[in-house]
């Protein structure tokens, strides 16, 4: 593979894999012959295995790598994927909120809210280590919970990780290998149970007051 192509100025979409892998992906996109492009994509996957060897024992490890390859191509790579990959629609945010002209502070993503901004700030303030990683994962889980409750629909974990990366200005990076988020249905059910419990508690208090 020639290495004279000029891709050094392109930004890293998934920093975990580094500049070299991103350059390989960018080059793969320029290959016109489909068979050669397919071979190049498979070679990139082999390189990604070596660059990011974590969780090799996971059943979906290879599927995650192909998904990441598609994401790094900006969803433009046309090859025969052996697994279903994340579509652009699942990765892009459906709701974005701009700042008002009066400069009043508002969250960049309304469906996440200010609590997420505070959690992200707390993560960024911590030094590298287990405590920071644990809070980052908890932040991602809260983001998914907020997303599902606001939009009433499922959301790909890659979308949550991308939003977290953007909101943290590139300082917090998670992926399917480092963080497994609960299913959207489980989050909705848990929230409903919590809400029901709170309502029942309030009803008991009100009933006691009426008796008095």
């Amino acid at each position: 593979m020639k290495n004279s192509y000029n891709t050094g100025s392109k930004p890293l979409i998934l920093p975990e894999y580094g500049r070299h892998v991103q350059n390989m992906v960018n080059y793969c996109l320029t290959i016109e012959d489909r068979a050669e492009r397919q071979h190049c994509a498979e070679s990139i996957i082999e390189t990604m295995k070596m660059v990011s060897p974590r969780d090799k024992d996971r059943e979906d490890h290879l599927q995650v790598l192909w998904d990441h390859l598609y994401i790094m191509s900006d969803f433009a790579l046309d090859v025969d994927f052996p697994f279903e990959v994340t579509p652009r629609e699942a990765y892009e945010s459906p709701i974005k909120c701009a700042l008002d002209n009066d400069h009043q502070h508002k969250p960049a993503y309304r469906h996440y809210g200010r609590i997420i901004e505070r959690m992200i700030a707390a993560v960024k303030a911590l030094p590298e280590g287990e405590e920071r990683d644990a809070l980052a994962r908890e932040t991602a889980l809260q983001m998914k919970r907020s997303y599902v409750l606001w939009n009433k629909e499922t959301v790909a974990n890659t979308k949550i990780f991308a939003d977290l990366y953007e909101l943290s200005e590139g300082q917090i990076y998670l992926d399917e290998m480092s963080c497994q988020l609960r299913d959207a249905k489980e989050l909705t059910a848990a929230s409903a149970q919590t809400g029901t419990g709170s309502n029942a508690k309030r009803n008991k208090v009100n009933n006691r007051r009426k008796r008095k």
Side-chain angles (χ1 to χ4, degrees):
M1 180 184 297
K2 296 181 180 181
N3 56 11
S4 59
Y5 46 92
N6 182 21
T7 55
S9 62
K10 290 183 177 297
L12 294 178
I13 298 177
L14 293 181
E16 177 182 353
Y17 297 102
R19 176 70 60 187
H20 178 61
V21 173
Q22 182 65 60
N23 286 351
M24 292 175 68
V25 176
N26 295 339
Y27 170 74
C28 189
L29 289 169
T30 68
I31 300 176
E32 297 183 0
D33 183 78
R34 185 178 182 83
E36 182 180 351
R37 189 167 64 246
Q38 181 74 33
H39 178 70
C40 180
E42 293 170 357
S43 298
I44 294 174
I45 291 296
E46 293 303 316
T47 303
M48 291 169 67
K49 288 180 183 179
M50 295 184 288
V51 172
S52 182
R54 294 178 302 171
D55 298 325
K56 281 188 174 180
D57 295 333
R58 281 185 51 173
E59 294 183 359
D60 62 345
H61 177 70
L62 193 56
Q63 180 176 358
V64 170
L65 293 180
W66 279 99
D67 194 56
H68 285 181
L69 173 60
Y70 189 49
I71 292 171
M72 283 191 289
S73 74
D74 196 24
F75 309 94
L77 185 60
D78 182 17
V79 295
D80 295 325
F81 290 95
F83 304 96
E84 182 178 356
V85 291
T86 302
R88 180 185 293 275
E89 292 75 19
Y91 208 70
E92 294 178 340
S93 174
I95 302 176
K96 295 221 176 184
C97 180
L99 293 175
D100 285 347
N101 293 330
D102 61 0
H103 302 291
Q104 181 181 1
H105 176 72
K106 290 186 178 181
Y109 296 86
R110 183 181 300 172
H111 48 288
Y112 292 136
R114 293 180 182 176
I115 186 174
I116 295 298
E117 290 188 339
R118 291 194 290 270
M119 292 179 71
I120 290 175
V123 174
K124 292 165 65 176
L126 290 173
E128 296 289 340
E130 294 183 3
E131 183 180 359
R132 189 181 194 274
D133 294 342
L135 184 55
R137 290 191 292 269
E138 181 60 32
T139 301
L141 179 61
Q142 181 61 41
M143 288 174 65
K144 184 170 183 178
R145 182 182 294 111
S146 299
Y147 187 106
V148 172
L149 291 176
W150 179 282
N151 294 294
K152 307 299 181 183
E153 60 183 26
T154 59
V155 57
N157 290 340
T158 49
K159 161 65 182 157
I160 298 298
F161 299 145
D163 286 353
L164 178 57
Y165 184 77
E166 181 178 346
L167 290 172
S168 67
E169 299 178 328
Q171 295 188 44
I172 304 175
Y173 176 80
L174 295 175
D175 59 26
E176 296 91 333
M177 295 183 185
S178 60
C179 179
Q180 297 184 32
L181 301 179
R182 294 166 60 185
D183 184 79
K185 292 181 179 179
E186 294 181 13
L187 294 174
T188 304
S191 298
Q193 291 176 359
T194 302
T196 302
S198 300
N199 291 333
K201 186 175 182 180
R202 284 194 294 268
N203 290 336
K204 287 182 180 179
V205 173
N206 292 332
N207 289 334
R208 288 173 184 170
R209 290 175 178 175
K210 289 180 180 179
R211 293 191 189 111
K212 292 179 180 181

